[in-house]
Amino acid sequence: MMPLVTIANLDKAFPGVQALKQARFELLPGEVHALMGENGAGKSTLMKILAGIYKKDAGEICIDGIPVDITSPRAAQDLGISIIHQELNLMNDLTAAQNIFIGREPRRAFGLFLDEDALNRNTADILEHMNLRLDPRVEVGELTVAKQQMVEIAKALSFRSRVLIMDEPTAALNRSEILELFSIIRQLKANGVGIVYISHKMDELKEISDRVTVMRDGEYVGTVPTASTTIDTIISMMVGRSLTETKSEVPDLSRHEVMLEVRNLSRGSAIRDVSFHLRKGEILGFAGLMGAGRTEVARAIFGADPIDGGEILVRGKPVEIGSPEDAVRLGIGYLSEDRKRFGLATGMDVATNIVMPCLGRFLSMHVFLKVRAIRETARAYIRQLRIKTPSDSQEVRFLSGGNQQKIVIAKWLARDCEILFFDEPTRGIDVGAKNEIYKLLNALAAQGRAIVMISSELPEILRMSHRIAVMCEGRLTGELPAEGATQEDIMRLATQRQSITTDAADAMIRESTT
C-alpha cells in the first residue's frame, strides 16, 4: 500500500536547540498511527512541519510518494493535511457552522451577502458524514469540550483532509466522551483518512492505534505494531531505560503532628460537610469521579473560593482564610490542575516564576530587586528539582510540560510552604516526567511536607498515597489506608449514589489503568 505520508531525514534547529535530527515517519491510508515520546522528544515539531507551521531545515516530505514543499498552513490544507491542537482554536460566540467555514462562507447575491442556509446545510452534511448529532446553529460556547473537539474535526474535514493530526485529543475528556471520540476516529479510518495520534495515555494507544512510532531527543527510535507490543516495551523505547513502579512501604504516621484539619467544610452543593486531617510527612490522596468536588475543596481551603461554613485549623489553631494571600502566609501552597492558566506566568522567565510568591524577600529598601539573589535562588531549585532549561532566563512557555510543573513546585518550595495541594500533578506530561514528579513528591513527604494529591488516575493514587480520601458529589464518602486498597475499593466509595451505575464504575477503572 502506498503511504499517504512519508517523512525522511528531517532536520530542524532552533537557537541553541537541535529539535529534529534525521527524523522519520510514515502514515498509511485508513491508519491511526500513534506518535510517542517524552516531552521535548520532537513530536510536536515534526507534526508542525508537516502542518506547515514550521519550515524544515533539511529532509524530504512526500505525499502519495510525490515530494512536496509545505511552506504554510494553507499549503498543508491544500494537500489535505489538518492539525487539531490540544488547545482548541474556536470562537465561542460563533455557531458551529460559522466556526467550521469561517473565511470560506458560502455567499449569494453576487457575493455580497452570506448564505446562512447553505452554510448550515454544508455543515449538516459534514456532521452526518461523521455520524454526529449536532445542530450547526448552536453556539460553540454552549458545547462541552468533547463536542467542541468534534467541531474541530468537522472543520478539518471541511478542507477534505486526508491526513488528520490530533495532539492530546482526550486531555480534557471523560471516559464517555473519549468513547464518542474513538467512534468518530474509527469512522474516519473506514473512510480512508490517515490519523496521527499524539498522546501520553498508554491505554488509549492500545485501544485506538494500529502502529506506534517512538521519538527520543529529536531522533527516530523505531516503529512497532501496537497489538503485539507491550506497554513496557514502548515506555523503554521512549525513555531509553525501564521504569520501576514499585510502591514503597507505607510508614506509620499516626504520631506525626496534624498540620491541617478541616471540619464540616461547606460551599453550596459543591462541598457538603467535608472533614479530614493531614499529618506531617503524609501524602493524602483525593480520589473521585469528575465533578466529585475534589478541586473545589482545595480551592476553598486555599482561599480561591468563598465557603458557606466550616472550620480550618493549621497546626491545631483555627484560622481564617479569605484569600490565597492568607493561605500562602499560613504556609499553604496550591498547584492548580491548569498550570498554564493559574500556576505560571508563561511569558516570563524561569527565575521570576520561581521567586514570584516570595518576591518581597528580594527587595532592597522595598523598591529595588536583588537580581543576583533571585538568580542564585532560582538556580538552586533548578539544580535541586533537575529542571531542564537552557538558563534561568529562559521563558517558561518554551519548556516542556514536566519542567513547567517542576517550576510550579519550585515556587512553593521557595515560599517555604509546608502544606501543599497537588491538583492532577502529572496531567499532560509524559511517563518519564511522571516518574520524576513521583520521586519528588516522595522526597518532599520525607522532608516533612504535608501533601494532598488530587488525581483521576487510580493507579497513581494507589502508588503514591499513604491514605486515600474518596469523594462523590461534594461529600467525603470514606477513607482507605493505602496498604491493601484496590481500585474497586475506591470506586465503591466514589459511586455511592443511585445515579452512578456499576458499568460507569467499571468504565472509570478501565480509564484509570494507564
Side-chain angles (χ1 to χ4, degrees):
M1 182 187 297
M2 171 71 73
L4 258 181
V5 177
T6 306
I7 298 174
N9 303 320
L10 214 66
D11 290 345
K12 178 63 181 178
F14 297 102
V17 179
Q18 185 68 40
L20 294 176
K21 293 170 282 186
Q22 300 285 292
R24 295 159 46 194
F25 187 76
E26 179 188 82
L27 179 68
L28 301 175
E31 175 187 40
V32 177
H33 196 142
L35 185 57
M36 299 289 293
E38 295 189 86
N39 292 109
K43 309 182 299 294
S44 294
T45 300
L46 184 64
M47 288 301 105
K48 284 178 179 178
I49 289 173
L50 181 59
I53 298 168
Y54 295 156
K55 294 182 180 179
K56 61 184 173 63
D57 295 338
E60 184 177 65
I61 300 174
C62 294
I63 304 297
D64 294 323
I66 302 171
V68 296
D69 191 17
I70 305 174
T71 57
S72 67
R74 181 60 184 268
Q77 288 171 351
D78 290 342
L79 290 166
I81 302 168
S82 292
I83 184 168
I84 299 174
H85 298 280
Q86 183 176 350
E87 296 175 359
L88 301 180
N89 188 25
L90 298 170
M91 283 155 278
N92 288 340
D93 295 329
L94 298 183
T95 68
Q98 289 165 344
N99 269 280
I100 289 169
F101 285 100
I102 190 163
R104 304 174 292 130
E105 300 88 348
R107 294 178 177 271
R108 55 186 173 82
F110 307 105
L112 297 177
F113 301 99
L114 297 181
D115 190 340
E116 289 286 343
D117 290 338
L119 178 70
N120 293 326
R121 191 165 55 249
N122 293 345
T123 300
D125 288 343
I126 296 171
L127 297 175
E128 184 179 357
H129 189 65
M130 294 169 61
N131 289 329
L132 182 62
R133 293 182 179 178
L134 184 68
D135 186 348
R137 298 164 297 181
V138 67
E139 286 190 6
V140 162
E142 298 176 8
L143 299 176
T144 64
V145 173
K147 286 290 191 289
Q148 290 180 5
Q149 196 111 43
M150 304 308 176
V151 172
E152 282 277 29
I153 294 173
K155 183 177 180 179
L157 295 180
S158 73
F159 289 98
R160 301 186 183 278
S161 297
R162 300 168 61 215
V163 176
L164 189 58
I165 303 164
M166 307 183 79
D167 190 358
E168 294 286 354
T170 64
L173 307 186
N174 62 35
R175 182 59 185 174
S176 63
E177 292 169 334
I178 290 171
L179 293 176
E180 187 177 359
L181 175 63
F182 283 1
S183 177
I184 298 293
I185 289 174
R186 292 188 179 101
Q187 179 70 34
L188 296 176
K189 276 185 62 175
N191 294 332
V193 177
I195 297 168
V196 183
Y197 193 93
I198 301 173
S199 176
H200 295 310
K201 297 182 179 179
M202 295 292 176
D203 57 333
E204 287 183 9
L205 303 182
K206 278 291 189 181
E207 190 171 350
I208 198 64
S209 71
D210 300 298
R211 290 191 293 167
V212 177
T213 287
V214 176
M215 296 183 67
R216 186 170 67 242
D217 298 328
E219 298 183 76
Y220 172 83
V221 175
T223 300
V224 294
T226 307
S228 59
T229 307
T230 66
I231 288 175
D232 286 343
T233 299
I234 296 171
I235 291 174
S236 182
M237 291 171 69
M238 287 171 56
V239 301
R241 65 192 187 281
S242 60
L243 294 179
T244 57
E245 296 205 359
T246 55
K247 180 180 174 66
S248 58
E249 185 178 344
V250 178
D252 180 9
L253 302 172
S254 59
R255 296 185 180 180
H256 284 212
E257 179 186 7
V258 174
M259 299 293 290
L260 175 70
E261 186 175 358
V262 176
R263 298 174 182 170
N264 309 116
L265 195 70
S266 298
R267 182 173 182 266
S269 60
I271 307 172
R272 298 190 287 176
D273 201 29
V274 168
S275 300
F276 67 92
H277 68 274
L278 176 67
R279 294 184 181 275
K280 186 173 184 175
E282 181 178 33
I283 300 176
L284 175 62
F286 258 63
L289 298 171
M290 189 175 293
R294 299 164 299 165
T295 294
E296 287 78 4
V297 167
R299 286 178 56 86
I301 293 170
F302 190 61
D305 296 325
I307 62 174
D308 298 333
E311 190 175 20
I312 300 171
L313 295 86
V314 174
R315 292 181 178 271
K317 296 180 180 179
V319 295
E320 294 288 336
I321 303 178
S323 67
E325 186 179 4
D326 294 339
V328 171
R329 196 161 43 242
L330 291 164
I332 302 172
Y334 173 53
L335 290 81
S336 168
E337 61 181 329
D338 189 346
R339 59 178 171 265
K340 289 185 179 179
R341 185 178 177 191
F342 296 117
L344 295 166
T346 56
M348 301 181 79
D349 62 35
V350 172
T352 303
N353 272 274
I354 289 174
V355 303
M356 197 174 293
C358 52
L359 201 56
R361 293 184 200 162
F362 299 95
L363 289 177
S364 176
M365 296 184 291
H366 304 286
V367 177
F368 303 105
L369 284 176
K370 301 176 183 177
V371 177
R372 180 179 294 179
I374 289 174
R375 298 296 182 197
E376 289 175 354
T377 299
R379 288 167 188 165
Y381 283 108
I382 289 169
R383 288 192 299 270
Q384 180 184 335
L385 304 186
R386 295 194 296 178
I387 298 170
K388 293 179 182 178
T389 175
S391 73
D392 56 73
S393 60
Q394 173 74 289
E395 285 186 29
V396 168
R397 63 194 174 99
F398 293 120
L399 302 184
S400 69
N403 287 300
Q404 289 180 353
Q405 189 72 303
K406 288 182 181 180
I407 291 169
V408 181
I409 296 170
K411 78 175 190 179
W412 293 122
L413 296 183
R415 188 62 176 77
D416 201 26
C417 290
E418 295 185 311
I419 301 166
L420 293 166
F421 284 82
F422 286 80
D423 197 347
E424 302 287 359
T426 65
R427 175 173 288 172
I429 63 177
D430 63 72
V431 66
K434 276 188 178 184
N435 214 48
E436 290 192 21
I437 296 295
Y438 294 156
K439 289 179 181 177
L440 180 55
L441 291 183
N442 283 326
L444 293 175
Q447 293 168 15
R449 314 271 179 172
I451 296 169
V452 172
M453 187 187 74
I454 300 167
S455 177
S456 299
E457 297 187 28
L458 298 188
E460 183 169 86
I461 286 282
L462 289 166
R463 176 186 176 183
M464 293 301 300
S465 306
H466 299 138
R467 275 187 306 129
I468 301 167
V470 187
M471 293 191 67
C472 177
E473 292 192 329
R475 295 180 298 113
L476 191 65
T477 51
E479 288 186 3
L480 298 166
E483 196 78 57
T486 66
Q487 294 188 32
E488 288 77 10
D489 294 333
I490 294 173
M491 289 311 304
R492 271 191 287 273
L493 292 171
T495 56
Q496 282 193 355
R497 62 182 178 93
Q498 292 181 347
S499 58
I500 291 287
T501 65
T502 303
D503 289 343
D506 291 342
M508 178 64 181
I509 293 172
R510 289 195 300 272
E511 176 186 0
S512 301
T513 53
T514 305

